[in-house]
Amino acid sequence: MPIATKIMISKNESYPENIADLLIYGDEVAKQILTQLTSSSCKKVGDLYNFINGKVTRNKKLFDELGYKANESSEFKGLYIFGEEIDGSVIPVYVGISRSVYRRLRQHAWGKKHNECTLAYLKTRHRWKIEGKKTDRATITDEDMLPAKSFIQNYKVVLVAIQNDYDLYFLEVLLAGKFKTKWNSFRTH
């Protein structure tokens, strides 16, 4: 449900007419996400993909059944929220956005390079810092990130379709703040 907009940002985008509407919408989306993440039917990232002959492919039928249908570019644009199960409760730990969520989820859980599986890289770097190891992009390899990627494959995940870019970016920050996700960082490059 896009927020009503009026002031043009660019040719195809507008600022919200009333930012309060976007905040209310964010609260509604947050409630829906928590309901879905804590549902026994919520899928794990690894459930959504098939691993056949060394290749990871999207389980199109399952994505469709869950209501995560592809758009005209055969992708899904929106938010994805990872939840970690801790002592019987599911806690949101990461909020991400993408124009290509199917590909992005696959990268997080099975990517080979640090710039593809950024969450696995962050988790590995964090662990290495605790262990007192050197932590830079040159020293952390794909093999080093395997435990973190395996962990990500077991995160529960909820997708939310958001078409308007302004709403998408705003909601990423808003939801990460509401959920106090431990793996989001908004540090600039």
Side-chain angles (χ1 to χ4, degrees), residues 31-48:
K31 289 175 190 170
Q32 291 170 4
I33 289 166
L34 289 175
T35 298
Q36 290 176 13
L37 272 178
T38 58
S39 166
S40 61
S41 63
C42 186
K43 300 299 182 196
K44 296 178 181 179
V45 174
D47 297 336
L48 299 173

Side-chain angles (χ1 to χ4, degrees), residues 3-185:
I3 302 303
T5 55
K6 278 207 174 169
I7 302 169
M8 295 304 289
I9 297 171
S10 69
K11 187 167 107 177
N12 300 320
E13 289 276 333
S14 300
Y15 283 111
E17 184 176 326
N18 181 351
I19 200 79
D21 291 342
L22 190 50
L23 292 169
I24 291 166
Y25 178 58
D27 284 339
E28 292 169 9
V29 170
K31 289 175 190 170
Q32 291 170 4
I33 289 166
L34 289 175
T35 298
Q36 290 176 13
L37 272 178
T38 58
S39 166
S40 61
S41 63
C42 186
K43 300 299 182 196
K44 296 178 181 179
V45 174
D47 297 336
L48 299 173
Y49 293 84
N50 300 313
F51 193 78
I52 302 169
N53 299 326
K55 187 174 180 182
V56 178
T57 59
R58 176 171 64 95
N59 182 335
K60 294 177 185 178
K61 182 179 178 190
L62 184 55
F63 271 98
D64 286 350
E65 287 172 5
L66 294 169
Y68 304 146
K69 296 188 185 288
N71 57 27
E72 63 281 348
S73 62
S74 299
E75 258 299 345
F76 185 93
K77 179 181 176 182
L79 296 158
Y80 57 94
I81 299 84
F82 291 144
E84 181 178 358
E85 197 161 353
I86 301 171
D87 297 327
S89 296
V90 179
I91 309 299
V93 293
Y94 186 80
V95 177
I97 62 172
S98 183
R99 286 185 301 263
S100 52
V101 170
Y102 301 149
R103 180 180 57 130
R104 192 70 191 109
L105 293 178
R106 189 179 69 244
Q107 287 174 330
H108 272 301
W110 293 277
K112 301 290 183 206
K113 300 175 187 166
H114 63 82
N115 60 340
E116 290 178 341
C117 51
T118 52
L119 183 55
Y121 171 77
L122 288 173
K123 290 171 76 66
T124 304
R125 190 178 77 183
H126 176 74
R127 181 174 48 89
W128 279 27
K129 280 183 180 180
I130 292 170
E131 295 171 359
K133 295 181 181 179
K134 184 178 179 185
T135 60
D136 61 38
R137 296 188 187 277
T139 57
I140 297 175
T141 67
D142 177 45
E143 189 172 317
D144 297 325
M145 292 186 287
L146 289 176
K149 289 190 277 186
S150 178
F151 206 77
I152 292 166
Q153 292 168 23
N154 285 296
Y155 277 154
K156 290 191 167 199
V157 64
V158 171
L159 310 183
V160 180
I162 306 286
Q163 295 308 310
N164 180 290
D165 288 339
Y166 185 93
D167 295 355
L168 185 63
Y169 286 95
F170 186 90
L171 287 171
E172 178 188 24
V173 175
L174 177 69
L175 292 171
K178 280 183 100 37
F179 296 145
K180 296 179 180 27
T181 54
K182 69 180 179 182
W183 292 111
N184 280 96
S185 170

